[in-house]
């Protein structure tokens, strides 16, 4: 297994083999909590206009997403795990539009054979699924802020996943403490907060879920994110306080 470490939208476009799109704050974390709340499927979109068009065509679809971290007008949810985790999503289709994560998924599907999304809440299940498939190439893409600038949470998650795939020990306990003071975490805390503070801890809930998320193409060609389970279950790690 050869691991390629990539970043940003440009890196997603270069992904080959099995691609893993990582957006910790917050798209890939939101997807985990939405499926845990019962969502049947998620439809990632590249643009806000695409999301609104899907709502027009399917009035029963729910919309979640952001631009500049803020909830979009007319959307049911922001890009917030605390908003979706207890929402009545059983059997629902959730359309998801974000600045980095969903756009990275679209970009990765151009050349990759298989595309997964990953965050700390489902990282061990994702690693297990990849190890079971044993692909020749794994492209791990740290999406960063808006897919344009580096973000430490995504790079740390990417390195953590790479270590799991290579059997290298990880030390998670220091990560939440470090990220709490990172510039990218300013959106959660104090005078600069623009999103729920609770989202920070939810995004860093290590191995909260035992499933992985994979993008598939529907009959019409549109990608859909689906929940799947590794053949051999993983034992969730203890979740340190974030």
């Amino acid at each position: 297994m050869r691991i390629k470490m990539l970043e940003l939208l440009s890196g997603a476009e270069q992904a080959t083999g099995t691609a893993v799109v990582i957006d910790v704050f917050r798209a890939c974390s939101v997807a985990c909590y939405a499926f845990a709340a019962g969502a049947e499927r998620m439809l990632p979109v590249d643009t806000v206009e695409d999301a609104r068009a899907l709502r027009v065509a399917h009035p029963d679809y729910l919309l979640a997403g952001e631009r500049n971290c803020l909830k979009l007008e007319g959307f049911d949810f922001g890009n917030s795990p605390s908003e979706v985790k207890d929402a009545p999503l059983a059997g629902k289709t959730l359309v998801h539009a974000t600045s980095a994560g969903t756009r990275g998924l679209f970009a990765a599907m151009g050349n990759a054979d298989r595309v997964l999304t990953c965050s700390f809440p489902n990282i061990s299940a994702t690693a297990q699924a990849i190890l079971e498939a044993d692909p020749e190439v794994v492209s791990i893409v740290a999406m960063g802020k808006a897919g344009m600038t580096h973000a430490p949470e995504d790079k740390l998650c990417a390195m953590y996943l790479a270590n799991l795939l290579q059997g290298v020990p990880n030390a998670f306990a220091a990560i939440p403490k470090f990220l709490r003071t990172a510039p990218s975490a300013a959106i959660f805390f104090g005078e600069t907060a623009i999103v729920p503070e609770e989202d920070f801890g939810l995004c860093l809930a290590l191995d909260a879920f035992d499933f992985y998320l994979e993008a598939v193409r529907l009959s019409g060609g549109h990608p859909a994110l689906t929940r799947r389970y590794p053949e051999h279950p993983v034992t969730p790690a203890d979740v340190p306080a974030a």
Side-chain angles (χ1 to χ4, degrees):
M1 182 186 299
R2 180 166 64 92
I3 298 176
K4 296 165 57 177
M5 305 298 285
L6 303 169
E7 289 189 78
L8 314 179
L9 281 169
S10 58
E13 293 170 352
Q14 300 169 32
T16 58
T18 294
V20 187
V21 174
I22 292 176
D23 184 356
V24 176
F25 295 159
R26 296 168 288 163
C28 297
S29 300
V30 166
C32 288
Y33 287 94
F35 277 105
E40 181 177 340
R41 63 181 180 177
M42 294 185 71
L43 302 182
V45 293
D46 195 26
T47 70
V48 175
E49 292 72 23
D50 290 341
R52 293 192 168 119
L54 280 169
R55 165 69 73 81
V56 171
H58 304 275
D60 57 320
Y61 285 4
L62 299 174
L63 305 185
E66 57 75 36
R67 283 297 183 267
N68 298 316
C69 298
L70 301 176
K71 180 180 176 181
L72 292 156
E73 183 178 354
F75 275 47
D76 301 284
F77 308 100
N79 187 40
S80 171
S82 62
E83 287 187 41
V84 303
K85 72 181 183 71
D86 296 319
L89 297 181
K92 299 291 187 179
T93 293
L94 189 64
V95 180
H96 198 197
T98 72
S99 300
T102 59
R103 295 177 66 204
L105 186 151
F106 261 82
M109 292 187 81
N111 294 310
D113 302 321
R114 185 185 189 193
V115 178
L116 313 179
T117 69
C118 179
S119 187
F120 284 113
N122 72 332
I123 196 166
S124 290
T126 304
Q128 180 66 21
I130 295 170
L131 289 170
E132 289 172 354
D134 192 24
E136 182 178 342
V137 176
V138 178
S139 298
I140 303 177
V141 187
M143 287 307 305
K145 183 178 180 181
M148 301 301 293
T149 57
H150 306 296
E153 66 277 6
D154 293 343
K155 294 181 72 171
L156 286 169
C157 188
M159 288 187 288
Y160 195 103
L161 177 61
N163 286 345
L164 288 176
L165 296 177
Q166 297 173 100
V168 176
N170 277 307
F172 181 78
I175 291 177
K177 297 176 182 177
F178 169 76
L179 289 178
R180 194 177 183 91
T181 62
S184 54
I187 60 173
F188 301 106
F189 304 113
E191 295 181 357
T192 58
I194 55 174
V195 304
E197 183 175 331
E198 182 185 0
D199 285 358
F200 180 80
L202 293 174
C203 291
L204 297 177
L206 182 66
D207 291 337
F209 306 111
D210 60 354
F211 55 78
Y212 66 99
L213 301 178
E214 181 165 358
V216 298
R217 288 201 180 274
L218 302 177
S219 57
H222 195 286
L225 205 57
T226 60
R227 172 171 56 176
R228 295 180 174 175
Y229 293 86
E231 182 178 345
H232 299 93
V234 296
T235 302
D238 292 334
V239 181

